[in-house]
Amino acid sequence: MRILVPFEAVDPKTRLGEVLDADERDDVARAMLRDVIDACLDAGHDPEVVATAPVEVADAPVTVDDRPLSAAVNARLGGTTPLGVVVADLALATAGAVDRLVDAAADADVAVAPGRAGGTNGLVIDHRDFRVDFHGVSYRDHVAAARAVGADVAVVDSMRLLTDVDEPTDLAEVLLHGEGEAAAWLGNRFELDTGEGRVGIDRVG
């Protein structure tokens, strides 16, 4: 299956700015992108990066599209074959998680993997009239949009697809559960803070 991987290539992950400088944010964003691409490839699918600016990526074609995310994805919908969308900051993504998303679409017109705080981290769309809208509480909106066009919906409950990396606290999840390049990158610079309360991160050295 063709799977779009939208990527913000200009000043990515600004909310990580309190723990990472601009170059580090760029590095970790690209590491997560490569992890998502690897997960899609390992699951036997065809990832295509849709980036807001040119970016060098091995093993996947890159299309530059500087439109807002929803417009860029919707421009590619409406075909006769299913299309997947997996966001680029899923540092915990694995082939098994991608397979769960794709398999869920076997019995539904739209499969959706929720993100935290009401977002949407993955979709498989097999309905000509369905369109995405990633603003606001997009998970709820996508379910409602699917039902509005008469599409059957399957919801994928997956920790690895739920956990997108936006805030500094999310980096602890990558160190705890990550298996790919982003986890290795972070592991060379941070360690877990297992003191009182929630697990956090500390700079190494």
Side-chain angles (χ1 to χ4, degrees):
M1 179 182 293
R2 180 181 174 213
I3 297 180
L4 303 181
V5 184
F7 181 66
E8 174 54 66
V10 180
D11 196 22
K13 295 297 158 192
T14 55
R15 283 185 279 173
L16 298 177
E18 66 183 75
V19 294
L20 301 176
D21 65 28
D23 288 341
E24 289 174 324
R25 289 188 283 107
D26 194 66
D27 286 345
V28 78
R30 281 162 168 71
M32 292 190 291
L33 171 63
R34 288 188 288 270
D35 285 340
V36 171
I37 290 170
D38 287 346
C40 293
L41 290 171
D42 290 347
H45 302 292
D46 298 315
E48 175 188 326
V49 179
V50 180
T52 56
V55 59
E56 292 186 10
V57 176
D59 301 324
V62 177
T63 302
V64 175
D65 192 329
D66 62 2
R67 287 177 289 184
L69 172 59
S70 298
V73 173
N74 283 332
R76 293 161 171 81
L77 293 178
T80 58
T81 58
L83 179 68
V85 182
V86 177
V87 299
D89 59 354
L90 300 184
L92 306 187
T94 61
V98 174
D99 273 338
R100 286 190 60 199
L101 176 65
V102 173
D103 290 348
D107 299 314
D109 301 308
V110 177
V112 55
R116 290 175 297 181
T120 301
N121 287 346
L123 289 159
V124 174
I125 301 153
D126 191 14
H127 195 286
R128 293 184 62 88
D129 297 324
F130 178 84
R131 295 296 181 269
V132 302
D133 184 354
F134 284 96
H135 297 96
V137 188
S138 63
Y139 162 69
R140 179 185 63 191
D141 294 343
H142 284 141
V143 171
R147 291 172 176 163
V149 297
D152 295 326
V153 181
V155 177
V156 179
D157 181 7
S158 167
M159 178 270 286
R160 292 191 173 274
L161 299 180
L162 180 78
T163 308
D164 47 323
V165 177
D166 285 317
E167 307 286 348
T169 53
D170 300 332
L171 300 177
E173 299 297 329
V174 181
L175 288 175
L176 279 166
H177 304 293
E179 302 171 358
E181 186 171 334
W185 187 94
L186 286 167
N188 287 328
R189 294 159 179 83
F190 294 91
E191 60 188 1
L192 290 172
D193 175 3
T194 57
E196 296 181 2
R198 290 177 61 91
V199 173
I201 58 171
D202 287 325
R203 280 274 181 181
V204 174

